[in-house]
Amino acid sequence: MSKIQQAIKERILVLDGAMGTMLQRNNFSEEDFRGERFKDFPHPLKGNNDLLSITQPEAVKQVHRLYFQAGADIVETNTFSGTTIGMADYHMEDLVYELNYQSAKIAREVADEFTDRPRFVAGSIGPTNRTASMSPDVNDPGFRAVTFDDLRIAYKQQVEALIDGGCDVLLVETIFDTLNAKAALFAIEEVKEERNLDIPVMVSGTITDASGRTLSGQTVEAFLISIAHIPLLSIGFNCALGADQLKPYLKRLAHNTTLNISAHPNAGLPNAFGQYDQTPTEMQALIKDYLQDNLVNIIGGCCGTTPEHIKAIAEVAKEFKPRQILETI
């Protein structure tokens, strides 16, 4: 049994908050994103947050450090867009292995600074900006911008680098299309078999609106059934909704699974300017409801959340025991 599998039996684990929200505070310029190494790169690079693990590593380290200081047990690597598919927007497909390796290495180094209790690094595996289940062309419903094999190959490269860099767990997150997630999970299983290792895997989908479905149309129960064949450390939801809007879907998930459940909601819904106004105290009260209702084993924050939010969540998480899992549903 891995250390994280042991820890999750003992206490509610706290996941970090938003990486992008924190990096944006630096107001990095195009030159900052480029650094010395990419100063003559022929394409714009501003906005490529994953690249900052190479060009501004101390800034990324500081984000991890602040989340651990706030009480997080797990931080996510700065690799949400770290596939050849995601990096194609910046013409940086060739850098994918290095980006993921360096991001994992940075997070591992910061985790090892904290010796009071085990701290963990989750390799963040985002959904890519393409969907395998639906056509992007309304006039050609059969067209697909990406194939399952395209995704599998891209994810496999990312997974190998994240493991090489020192991740304790892999987090397939913000899943809007379960077919994309299945490609990631298939790639993970391939790597595990080839390397004869057993790294824990977390899966986190996203409910896109009040319909209670993922973007590709699945209900909570359908999403769960679609990936139930894979051995998982946890299943849960993140992004798109705030903690109050997400709660009913977590309840449905808890009612239907014996897996550990994770949640990292946004700090409420964005305002007219795309900003998140929910305070740490407001979010803490909503998360307390999750804990009182025995809904989660891993809790953290997504868009708009900061170390202040995670500190408030960690404080209330200490008061509760992890979700008790019934052996039969």
Side-chain angles (χ1 to χ4, degrees), residues 123-167:
S124 172
I125 299 171
T128 80
N129 52 7
R130 300 190 195 165
T131 170
S133 289
M134 298 179 290
S135 171
D137 182 355
V138 70
N139 296 312
D140 186 0
F143 175 71
R144 294 293 182 270
V146 70
T147 67
F148 184 92
D149 260 356
D150 292 337
L151 288 162
R152 178 187 65 80
I153 292 163
Y155 280 129
K156 188 172 182 182
Q157 184 181 17
Q158 183 178 30
V159 166
E160 287 174 334
L162 288 171
I163 292 171
D164 290 346
C167 288

Short mmCIF file of all heavy atoms in Angstrom, two decimals, residues 123-167:
data_model
loop_
_atom_site.label_atom_id
_atom_site.label_comp_id
_atom_site.label_asym_id
_atom_site.label_seq_id
_atom_site.Cartn_x
_atom_site.Cartn_y
_atom_site.Cartn_z
N GLY A 123 0.25 14.42 -10.43
CA GLY A 123 0.51 14.82 -11.81
C GLY A 123 -0.79 15.23 -12.48
O GLY A 123 -1.67 14.41 -12.70
N SER A 124 -0.91 16.53 -12.78
CA SER A 124 -2.14 17.05 -13.37
C SER A 124 -2.21 16.73 -14.86
O SER A 124 -1.36 17.14 -15.64
CB SER A 124 -2.21 18.57 -13.16
OG SER A 124 -3.29 19.12 -13.87
N ILE A 125 -3.25 16.01 -15.23
CA ILE A 125 -3.48 15.60 -16.63
C ILE A 125 -4.80 16.20 -17.07
O ILE A 125 -5.87 15.74 -16.67
CB ILE A 125 -3.49 14.06 -16.74
CG1 ILE A 125 -2.14 13.48 -16.29
CG2 ILE A 125 -3.83 13.63 -18.16
CD1 ILE A 125 -2.12 11.98 -16.17
N GLY A 126 -4.73 17.27 -17.85
CA GLY A 126 -5.94 17.98 -18.28
C GLY A 126 -6.63 17.30 -19.45
O GLY A 126 -6.13 16.32 -20.02
N PRO A 127 -7.79 17.84 -19.86
CA PRO A 127 -8.62 17.16 -20.86
C PRO A 127 -8.21 17.40 -22.31
O PRO A 127 -8.77 16.78 -23.20
CB PRO A 127 -10.00 17.77 -20.61
CG PRO A 127 -9.71 19.14 -20.09
CD PRO A 127 -8.44 19.03 -19.30
N THR A 128 -7.24 18.27 -22.55
CA THR A 128 -6.86 18.81 -23.86
C THR A 128 -7.96 19.76 -24.34
O THR A 128 -9.04 19.86 -23.74
CB THR A 128 -6.56 17.76 -24.97
OG1 THR A 128 -7.78 17.28 -25.52
CG2 THR A 128 -5.68 16.65 -24.45
N ASN A 129 -7.70 20.43 -25.44
CA ASN A 129 -8.68 21.38 -25.99
C ASN A 129 -9.45 20.77 -27.16
O ASN A 129 -10.01 21.49 -27.99
CB ASN A 129 -7.97 22.66 -26.42
CG ASN A 129 -6.78 22.38 -27.33
OD1 ASN A 129 -6.57 21.25 -27.73
ND2 ASN A 129 -6.00 23.41 -27.64
N ARG A 130 -9.49 19.45 -27.21
CA ARG A 130 -10.25 18.76 -28.26
C ARG A 130 -11.14 17.70 -27.64
O ARG A 130 -10.89 17.26 -26.52
CB ARG A 130 -9.30 18.11 -29.28
CG ARG A 130 -8.42 19.16 -29.95
CD ARG A 130 -7.66 18.62 -31.11
NE ARG A 130 -6.58 19.53 -31.49
CZ ARG A 130 -5.58 19.22 -32.27
NH1 ARG A 130 -5.50 17.99 -32.75
NH2 ARG A 130 -4.65 20.09 -32.57
N THR A 131 -12.14 17.29 -28.36
CA THR A 131 -13.06 16.29 -27.84
C THR A 131 -13.21 15.13 -28.82
O THR A 131 -13.43 15.34 -30.02
CB THR A 131 -14.44 16.90 -27.51
OG1 THR A 131 -15.37 15.87 -27.21
CG2 THR A 131 -14.97 17.77 -28.63
N ALA A 132 -13.07 13.93 -28.30
CA ALA A 132 -13.13 12.73 -29.15
C ALA A 132 -14.56 12.25 -29.39
O ALA A 132 -14.80 11.45 -30.29
CB ALA A 132 -12.31 11.61 -28.53
N SER A 133 -15.51 12.74 -28.59
CA SER A 133 -16.89 12.25 -28.68
C SER A 133 -17.78 13.05 -29.61
O SER A 133 -18.81 12.57 -30.04
CB SER A 133 -17.55 12.25 -27.29
OG SER A 133 -17.01 11.26 -26.48
N MET A 134 -17.38 14.29 -29.87
CA MET A 134 -18.27 15.18 -30.61
C MET A 134 -17.53 15.88 -31.74
O MET A 134 -16.32 16.08 -31.67
CB MET A 134 -18.86 16.24 -29.67
CG MET A 134 -19.71 15.66 -28.57
SD MET A 134 -20.35 16.94 -27.47
CE MET A 134 -18.85 17.45 -26.63
N SER A 135 -18.29 16.28 -32.74
CA SER A 135 -17.71 17.02 -33.86
C SER A 135 -17.67 18.50 -33.54
O SER A 135 -18.65 19.06 -33.03
CB SER A 135 -18.55 16.80 -35.12
OG SER A 135 -18.11 17.67 -36.15
N PRO A 136 -16.56 19.17 -33.85
CA PRO A 136 -16.51 20.63 -33.70
C PRO A 136 -17.19 21.36 -34.86
O PRO A 136 -17.33 22.58 -34.84
CB PRO A 136 -15.00 20.92 -33.68
CG PRO A 136 -14.41 19.83 -34.50
CD PRO A 136 -15.27 18.62 -34.30
N ASP A 137 -17.62 20.60 -35.85
CA ASP A 137 -18.24 21.18 -37.05
C ASP A 137 -19.71 20.79 -37.08
O ASP A 137 -20.06 19.63 -37.31
CB ASP A 137 -17.52 20.66 -38.29
CG ASP A 137 -18.07 21.25 -39.58
OD1 ASP A 137 -19.08 21.99 -39.52
OD2 ASP A 137 -17.50 20.97 -40.66
N VAL A 138 -20.58 21.77 -36.86
CA VAL A 138 -22.02 21.49 -36.80
C VAL A 138 -22.55 20.94 -38.13
O VAL A 138 -23.56 20.23 -38.17
CB VAL A 138 -22.80 22.77 -36.37
CG1 VAL A 138 -22.78 23.81 -37.47
CG2 VAL A 138 -24.22 22.44 -35.94
N ASN A 139 -21.85 21.23 -39.21
CA ASN A 139 -22.30 20.76 -40.52
C ASN A 139 -21.77 19.37 -40.88
O ASN A 139 -22.12 18.82 -41.92
CB ASN A 139 -21.86 21.75 -41.61
CG ASN A 139 -22.52 23.10 -41.43
OD1 ASN A 139 -23.74 23.17 -41.25
ND2 ASN A 139 -21.73 24.17 -41.48
N ASP A 140 -20.91 18.83 -40.02
CA ASP A 140 -20.31 17.50 -40.28
C ASP A 140 -20.25 16.72 -38.97
O ASP A 140 -19.20 16.63 -38.34
CB ASP A 140 -18.92 17.67 -40.89
CG ASP A 140 -18.31 16.34 -41.32
OD1 ASP A 140 -18.99 15.29 -41.15
OD2 ASP A 140 -17.16 16.33 -41.82
N PRO A 141 -21.38 16.16 -38.53
CA PRO A 141 -21.46 15.51 -37.22
C PRO A 141 -20.50 14.32 -37.07
O PRO A 141 -20.14 13.95 -35.96
CB PRO A 141 -22.92 15.02 -37.13
CG PRO A 141 -23.65 15.79 -38.17
CD PRO A 141 -22.67 16.14 -39.23
N GLY A 142 -20.06 13.74 -38.17
CA GLY A 142 -19.16 12.59 -38.09
C GLY A 142 -17.70 12.96 -37.96
O GLY A 142 -16.86 12.11 -37.67
N PHE A 143 -17.39 14.23 -38.15
CA PHE A 143 -15.99 14.66 -38.09
C PHE A 143 -15.48 14.68 -36.66
O PHE A 143 -16.20 15.03 -35.72
CB PHE A 143 -15.86 16.05 -38.72
CG PHE A 143 -14.47 16.63 -38.59
CD1 PHE A 143 -13.41 16.12 -39.33
CD2 PHE A 143 -14.21 17.67 -37.71
CE1 PHE A 143 -12.14 16.64 -39.21
CE2 PHE A 143 -12.94 18.20 -37.58
CZ PHE A 143 -11.90 17.68 -38.33
N ARG A 144 -14.21 14.30 -36.48
CA ARG A 144 -13.56 14.39 -35.17
C ARG A 144 -12.22 15.11 -35.33
O ARG A 144 -11.44 14.80 -36.25
CB ARG A 144 -13.31 12.99 -34.56
CG ARG A 144 -14.58 12.22 -34.22
CD ARG A 144 -15.35 12.86 -33.08
NE ARG A 144 -16.54 12.10 -32.72
CZ ARG A 144 -17.74 12.28 -33.26
NH1 ARG A 144 -17.92 13.20 -34.20
NH2 ARG A 144 -18.77 11.56 -32.86
N ALA A 145 -11.96 16.05 -34.43
CA ALA A 145 -10.70 16.81 -34.48
C ALA A 145 -9.55 16.01 -33.90
O ALA A 145 -8.38 16.38 -34.08
CB ALA A 145 -10.85 18.12 -33.72
N VAL A 146 -9.87 14.90 -33.21
CA VAL A 146 -8.83 14.08 -32.59
C VAL A 146 -9.35 12.65 -32.49
O VAL A 146 -10.56 12.42 -32.37
CB VAL A 146 -8.47 14.64 -31.19
CG1 VAL A 146 -9.59 14.42 -30.19
CG2 VAL A 146 -7.15 14.07 -30.67
N THR A 147 -8.44 11.67 -32.56
CA THR A 147 -8.84 10.27 -32.41
C THR A 147 -8.42 9.75 -31.04
O THR A 147 -7.60 10.35 -30.36
CB THR A 147 -8.18 9.39 -33.49
OG1 THR A 147 -6.76 9.34 -33.24
CG2 THR A 147 -8.45 9.93 -34.88
N PHE A 148 -8.97 8.62 -30.68
CA PHE A 148 -8.61 7.97 -29.42
C PHE A 148 -7.11 7.69 -29.38
O PHE A 148 -6.44 7.94 -28.37
CB PHE A 148 -9.39 6.66 -29.27
CG PHE A 148 -9.16 5.97 -27.96
CD1 PHE A 148 -9.98 6.22 -26.86
CD2 PHE A 148 -8.13 5.04 -27.80
CE1 PHE A 148 -9.78 5.57 -25.64
CE2 PHE A 148 -7.92 4.39 -26.60
CZ PHE A 148 -8.75 4.66 -25.51
N ASP A 149 -6.57 7.21 -30.50
CA ASP A 149 -5.14 6.90 -30.55
C ASP A 149 -4.27 8.15 -30.45
O ASP A 149 -3.21 8.13 -29.81
CB ASP A 149 -4.79 6.13 -31.83
CG ASP A 149 -4.65 4.63 -31.57
OD1 ASP A 149 -4.75 4.24 -30.40
OD2 ASP A 149 -4.45 3.88 -32.53
N ASP A 150 -4.71 9.25 -31.08
CA ASP A 150 -3.98 10.52 -30.93
C ASP A 150 -3.86 10.88 -29.45
O ASP A 150 -2.78 11.25 -28.97
CB ASP A 150 -4.73 11.67 -31.63
CG ASP A 150 -4.77 11.55 -33.14
OD1 ASP A 150 -3.89 10.86 -33.70
OD2 ASP A 150 -5.67 12.14 -33.74
N LEU A 151 -4.97 10.77 -28.75
CA LEU A 151 -5.00 11.11 -27.33
C LEU A 151 -4.15 10.15 -26.51
O LEU A 151 -3.38 10.56 -25.65
CB LEU A 151 -6.45 11.10 -26.82
CG LEU A 151 -7.32 12.26 -27.32
CD1 LEU A 151 -8.80 11.92 -27.14
CD2 LEU A 151 -6.98 13.56 -26.60
N ARG A 152 -4.29 8.87 -26.80
CA ARG A 152 -3.54 7.86 -26.03
C ARG A 152 -2.04 8.09 -26.14
O ARG A 152 -1.33 8.07 -25.13
CB ARG A 152 -3.89 6.45 -26.56
CG ARG A 152 -3.11 5.33 -25.87
CD ARG A 152 -3.39 4.00 -26.54
NE ARG A 152 -2.91 3.94 -27.90
CZ ARG A 152 -1.65 3.71 -28.27
NH1 ARG A 152 -0.71 3.54 -27.35
NH2 ARG A 152 -1.32 3.65 -29.55
N ILE A 153 -1.56 8.35 -27.34
CA ILE A 153 -0.13 8.57 -27.56
C ILE A 153 0.34 9.83 -26.83
O ILE A 153 1.39 9.86 -26.19
CB ILE A 153 0.17 8.64 -29.07
CG1 ILE A 153 -0.04 7.27 -29.72
CG2 ILE A 153 1.59 9.14 -29.33
CD1 ILE A 153 -0.18 7.30 -31.23
N ALA A 154 -0.46 10.90 -26.93
CA ALA A 154 -0.10 12.16 -26.29
C ALA A 154 -0.08 12.01 -24.76
O ALA A 154 0.85 12.48 -24.09
CB ALA A 154 -1.09 13.25 -26.70
N TYR A 155 -1.10 11.35 -24.23
CA TYR A 155 -1.16 11.17 -22.78
C TYR A 155 -0.04 10.28 -22.27
O TYR A 155 0.49 10.50 -21.18
CB TYR A 155 -2.51 10.57 -22.38
CG TYR A 155 -3.64 11.57 -22.31
CD1 TYR A 155 -4.85 11.34 -22.98
CD2 TYR A 155 -3.53 12.74 -21.56
CE1 TYR A 155 -5.89 12.23 -22.89
CE2 TYR A 155 -4.58 13.63 -21.47
CZ TYR A 155 -5.76 13.38 -22.14
OH TYR A 155 -6.80 14.26 -22.06
N LYS A 156 0.32 9.28 -23.06
CA LYS A 156 1.37 8.36 -22.60
C LYS A 156 2.69 9.10 -22.40
O LYS A 156 3.40 8.88 -21.40
CB LYS A 156 1.53 7.22 -23.61
CG LYS A 156 2.45 6.11 -23.11
CD LYS A 156 2.43 4.91 -24.04
CE LYS A 156 3.32 3.79 -23.50
NZ LYS A 156 3.36 2.63 -24.41
N GLN A 157 3.02 10.00 -23.31
CA GLN A 157 4.25 10.78 -23.18
C GLN A 157 4.20 11.63 -21.91
O GLN A 157 5.18 11.74 -21.16
CB GLN A 157 4.43 11.67 -24.41
CG GLN A 157 5.74 12.44 -24.40
CD GLN A 157 5.88 13.35 -25.62
OE1 GLN A 157 4.91 13.66 -26.31
NE2 GLN A 157 7.09 13.80 -25.89
N GLN A 158 3.04 12.24 -21.66
CA GLN A 158 2.89 13.06 -20.46
C GLN A 158 3.03 12.23 -19.19
O GLN A 158 3.74 12.61 -18.25
CB GLN A 158 1.53 13.77 -20.48
CG GLN A 158 1.34 14.70 -19.28
CD GLN A 158 0.03 15.46 -19.30
OE1 GLN A 158 -0.96 14.98 -19.83
NE2 GLN A 158 0.02 16.64 -18.71
N VAL A 159 2.37 11.09 -19.17
CA VAL A 159 2.39 10.22 -17.99
C VAL A 159 3.80 9.75 -17.66
O VAL A 159 4.23 9.76 -16.51
CB VAL A 159 1.45 9.01 -18.22
CG1 VAL A 159 1.68 7.91 -17.19
CG2 VAL A 159 -0.01 9.46 -18.19
N GLU A 160 4.55 9.33 -18.68
CA GLU A 160 5.93 8.86 -18.45
C GLU A 160 6.78 9.96 -17.81
O GLU A 160 7.55 9.70 -16.87
CB GLU A 160 6.54 8.40 -19.77
CG GLU A 160 5.95 7.08 -20.25
CD GLU A 160 6.44 6.67 -21.63
OE1 GLU A 160 6.82 7.54 -22.44
OE2 GLU A 160 6.43 5.45 -21.90
N ALA A 161 6.64 11.18 -18.31
CA ALA A 161 7.44 12.29 -17.78
C ALA A 161 7.03 12.64 -16.35
O ALA A 161 7.89 12.94 -15.50
CB ALA A 161 7.29 13.51 -18.68
N LEU A 162 5.73 12.62 -16.06
CA LEU A 162 5.25 12.93 -14.71
C LEU A 162 5.77 11.90 -13.70
O LEU A 162 6.19 12.26 -12.59
CB LEU A 162 3.72 12.97 -14.69
CG LEU A 162 3.07 14.16 -15.39
CD1 LEU A 162 1.56 13.96 -15.49
CD2 LEU A 162 3.38 15.47 -14.66
N ILE A 163 5.76 10.65 -14.09
CA ILE A 163 6.27 9.60 -13.20
C ILE A 163 7.78 9.76 -13.01
O ILE A 163 8.29 9.69 -11.89
CB ILE A 163 5.92 8.20 -13.76
CG1 ILE A 163 4.41 7.97 -13.69
CG2 ILE A 163 6.66 7.10 -12.99
CD1 ILE A 163 3.94 6.71 -14.41
N ASP A 164 8.50 10.00 -14.11
CA ASP A 164 9.95 10.18 -14.03
C ASP A 164 10.32 11.36 -13.13
O ASP A 164 11.35 11.34 -12.45
CB ASP A 164 10.55 10.40 -15.42
CG ASP A 164 10.51 9.14 -16.28
OD1 ASP A 164 10.27 8.04 -15.72
OD2 ASP A 164 10.69 9.26 -17.51
N GLY A 165 9.47 12.39 -13.12
CA GLY A 165 9.75 13.58 -12.32
C GLY A 165 9.44 13.45 -10.85
O GLY A 165 9.80 14.33 -10.06
N GLY A 166 8.76 12.35 -10.46
CA GLY A 166 8.57 12.09 -9.04
C GLY A 166 7.15 12.22 -8.50
O GLY A 166 6.97 12.41 -7.29
N CYS A 167 6.13 12.09 -9.35
CA CYS A 167 4.74 12.18 -8.86
C CYS A 167 4.38 10.95 -8.01
O CYS A 167 4.83 9.83 -8.27
CB CYS A 167 3.77 12.27 -10.02
SG CYS A 167 3.83 13.87 -10.85
#
